[in-house]
Amino acid sequence: MKRTWVTVLVIVLALSLLGLGTAFAAKKKVEKEMDVGAMLIKSFDMIEKNKFKDADKMLDAILAKDPGNPLALNNKAAVMVKMNKLDKADTYLNQALPRAKGFMVAVNRVCQVGGICLAFKPVSGGTGNQDLEPLIKLNIDMVKQRMSAEPLPGRGER
């Protein structure tokens, strides 16, 4: 009788610990998602304040947590435009495009960087009602136009 009691107590204790572990893992996943959203907002604010190096570092951190995040890639492209690295901006936008279709965002504010590339600030909390794909396509078109208008080094206008 005593052994049965101990066995039942051990089983109940093990199940309780297992439940706590599962709840903790779910909480960590939600925290990670919240961190990325908050970081996207913060990086946008840095872009608006012309703190492009800081924004670039923050966007790298976002991409380390969520590789291929199309909004982070888009905003990183906007930073590259400001740094006059149009080839890198084009690369980031083309990396973002396949994941942008169906990636719903609620665009709160938009800023132009270098007069051509738009960075987007998401609304905090939840998803939105605007597909990111057409916005990224617009940025790709603007970057390509700028690239074709840039003079070739040592050769003048195209």
Side-chain angles (χ1 to χ4, degrees):
M1 181 82 155
K2 195 174 186 180
R3 279 189 175 171
T4 305
W5 217 181
V6 171
T7 304
V8 168
L9 184 61
V10 167
I11 290 172
V12 168
L13 186 59
L15 289 174
S16 297
L17 290 174
L18 181 65
L20 285 174
T22 304
F24 182 72
K27 182 180 177 189
K28 280 291 189 188
K29 182 180 178 186
V30 169
E31 285 176 1
K32 176 187 171 193
E33 290 171 3
M34 288 174 43
D35 285 346
V36 168
M39 291 169 73
L40 281 166
I41 291 169
K42 188 173 181 179
S43 66
F44 179 89
D45 292 339
M46 290 174 186
I47 291 170
E48 267 196 330
K49 293 175 183 172
N50 294 325
K51 296 181 178 180
F52 296 105
K53 287 183 181 180
D54 294 335
D56 191 39
K57 288 178 187 174
M58 176 80 63
L59 290 163
D60 284 340
I62 293 167
L63 292 168
K65 285 184 173 204
D66 185 7
N69 181 303
L71 189 55
L73 288 167
N74 177 81
N75 289 359
K76 188 157 176 71
V79 170
M80 293 298 110
V81 166
K82 183 59 180 174
M83 294 177 173
N84 205 30
K85 298 178 180 177
L86 298 177
D87 55 334
K88 286 188 177 185
D90 187 51
T91 299
Y92 287 124
L93 289 168
N94 282 297
Q95 287 176 2
L97 190 58
R99 286 198 53 202
K101 185 169 181 67
F103 190 94
M104 302 305 286
V105 293
V107 178
N108 185 19
R109 290 199 351 236
V110 177
C111 76
Q112 285 191 351
V113 178
I116 62 168
C117 198
L118 305 174
F120 304 106
K121 180 178 182 178
V123 173
S124 59
T127 60
N129 59 359
Q130 180 153 3
D131 192 344
L132 187 59
E133 182 186 38
L135 302 172
I136 297 225
K137 284 181 177 179
L138 174 67
N139 280 343
I140 289 172
D141 290 343
M142 288 190 289
V143 168
K144 287 197 183 301
Q145 276 185 328
R146 174 65 72 82
M147 287 172 72
S148 67
E150 288 279 310
L152 293 172
R155 296 190 183 164
E157 293 293 323
R158 291 183 189 202

